Amino acid sequence: MPTITCIEDLRQLAHRKVPGAFIDFAESGSYAEQTLRANRADLERIALRQRVLCDIANRSTKTTILGEPVALPLALAPIGLCGMQHGDGEILSCRAAQDAGIPFTLSTMSICSIEDVAAAVAKPFWFQVYVMKDRGYSRALIERAAAAKCSALMLTVDLQVIGQRHRDIKNGMTVPPQIRLKNILDIATKPRWAMGIARGKRKTFGNIAGHYPGMTNVTVLSKWVAEQFDSSLSWKDVEWIKSLWPGKLILKGILDVEDARIAVKTGAAALVVSNHGGRQLDGAPSSISMLPRIADAVGGDIEVMFDGGVRSGQDIARALALGARSCMSGRAYIYGLGAAGEAGVARAIQIMRNELDITMALIGVTRVADISRDAIVGWPVRQPYEKI
């Protein structure tokens, strides 16, 4: 781990250790991947304002998210099939996050179930839920999350239909899954990965198999999932979710000011400015380009989080400067998980925390709360809908 200096190092190592089909599943965006690329490109265009001779001796990356103390303004985002990057991947990632003092979010489409993770970790975690056509299943999921004492429920609102990901089709990551010779050969060259998966608690979607007896076949499960995403989902369903969930609710997938204002009216504790990592509407604006508009419009009424291309402490600082209270990152820790399991996730978090600390020093602030728009030089990304 000492020679791993950045998230890109973890990415390269993960590419060597994890079969390509699962790397592509985690990395890919929809269609031409324009929005996927824009998330990173627009973040990288934001110049940070270097300050000198400021007293930055007593710095701290500590802050709060949803009123809870955290070691840095970062939460691990929900990732489907996390447990296929490394055996028991959800458990290992949750442990690493909790040891680092930040939240972990378990996906509905996880390999390890809610109960698997709850039994293996010391503290509550967040749970991300999709509202399915089978409302009974969605209700049961929420009840299971409450029984596991999850400290927040994250409702993903931007997946009523699924954006096509070309790489998944080429790799056979379809419904039903297709066995491809190249994938078999690839797995054969990665015996440690295969052994880790074989030793893991589960090989299918744990949250679904645990609800429907007999649905242990991956083909049956994936077909059921594909048929369950509900295009009729509306704001009324958010009201329904709130009536079931006793705790804090986060709405993930807000990318429009009007939608952000509606989100405030639901009484949710927080919203996440996100375009689903460029995996849904290709051609949508980058998350960072919409963040300041949304933060300006509703930041005084609801906690605004940011998700979309975060790979470094500098990215965290950029998002905070443009109005986010905290950030989420998915691919960064997935690279760590694929590279080295729990130690890799811990290293990914440590890298971003150290980068944020040094960045704070060099922009002349000592507290996360002091990172404002004064910390950036201009605003080089053209605002969406701005006249050309």
Side-chain angles (χ1 to χ4, degrees), residues 249 251 260 263-271 298-304 325:
L249 178 66
L251 301 181
V264 170
K265 294 176 183 177
T266 68
L271 64 81
V298 303
D301 303 312
I302 192 171
E303 192 159 326
V304 175
R325 288 278 300 279

Side-chain angles (χ1 to χ4, degrees), residues 23-334:
I23 285 288
D24 279 350
F25 176 81
E27 280 193 329
S28 63
S30 61
Y31 299 100
E33 300 188 338
Q34 294 174 352
T35 299
L36 173 73
R37 292 191 297 272
N39 277 348
R40 286 295 308 141
D42 287 356
L43 269 169
E44 290 175 345
R45 289 191 187 103
I46 300 169
L48 294 165
R49 182 186 179 197
Q50 179 176 302
R51 301 299 306 278
V52 298
L53 297 179
C54 304
D55 182 355
I56 40 86
N58 297 308
R59 298 185 308 284
S60 174
T61 61
K62 294 180 180 178
T63 185
T64 61
I65 301 178
L66 299 180
E68 298 294 325
V70 292
L72 70 158
L74 180 70
L76 300 192
I79 298 289
L81 297 181
C82 179
M84 296 307 291
Q85 302 293 325
H86 191 287
D88 291 339
E90 292 89 1
I91 291 172
L92 302 182
S93 299
C94 188
R95 284 176 178 166
Q98 292 186 350
D99 287 346
I102 64 172
F104 167 80
T105 317
L106 181 69
S107 170
T108 289
M109 297 295 114
S110 59
I111 299 300
C112 292
S113 69
I114 299 170
E115 294 79 9
D116 293 336
V117 178
V121 301
K123 301 173 186 176
F125 51 91
W126 296 355
F127 181 67
Q128 173 269 335
V129 66
Y130 293 116
V131 177
M132 303 295 202
K133 289 178 182 176
D134 184 343
R135 293 297 195 267
Y137 170 68
S138 297
R139 178 192 290 270
L141 265 185
I142 294 167
E143 291 172 350
R144 290 166 63 186
K149 296 182 169 48
C150 291
S151 52
L153 185 72
M154 180 176 291
L155 173 61
T156 296
V157 297
D158 60 355
L159 203 74
Q160 291 166 282
V161 294
I162 301 176
Q164 179 171 296
R165 296 151 201 170
H166 297 335
R167 284 193 258 174
D168 286 349
I169 293 174
K170 289 179 171 63
N171 288 323
M173 298 286 283
T174 56
V175 179
Q178 298 179 21
I179 298 173
R180 300 279 171 82
L181 178 61
K182 68 173 184 177
N183 295 342
I184 296 173
L185 295 175
D186 190 11
I187 290 171
T189 66
K190 297 172 175 65
R192 286 190 179 182
W193 174 88
M195 288 170 54
I197 297 297
R199 289 194 297 262
K201 289 180 176 293
R202 297 181 187 270
K203 315 297 181 292
T204 60
F205 299 114
N207 291 321
I208 303 170
H211 181 69
Y212 289 101
M215 286 187 70
T216 55
N217 182 286
V218 68
T219 299
V220 175
L221 280 171
S222 15
K223 187 174 186 300
W224 182 85
V225 169
E227 293 170 347
Q228 281 295 312
F229 288 105
D230 191 354
S231 59
S232 72
L233 189 67
S234 72
W235 289 104
K236 290 182 180 179
D237 291 294
V238 179
E239 295 175 15
W240 177 68
I241 294 288
K242 276 192 63 64
S243 73
L244 299 175
W245 177 249
K248 298 168 184 174
L249 178 66
I250 306 167
L251 301 181
K252 180 177 182 288
I254 304 296
L255 201 66
D256 183 87
V257 171
E258 184 176 349
D259 287 340
R261 292 193 173 110
I262 299 172
V264 170
K265 294 176 183 177
T266 68
L271 64 81
V272 185
V273 177
S274 171
N275 54 33
H276 213 102
R279 293 163 70 81
Q280 283 297 95
L281 176 59
D282 195 31
S286 66
S287 295
I288 197 66
S289 69
M290 289 307 300
L291 173 62
R293 284 178 173 234
I294 292 172
D296 287 348
V298 303
D301 303 312
I302 192 171
E303 192 159 326
V304 175
M305 304 175 67
F306 173 77
D307 170 69
V310 174
R311 301 287 189 279
S312 68
Q314 294 92 323
D315 292 338
I316 296 173
R318 288 164 172 142
L320 266 56
L322 290 173
R325 288 278 300 279
S326 60
C327 294
M328 303 195 79
S329 185
R331 291 181 175 102
Y333 88 82
I334 281 297

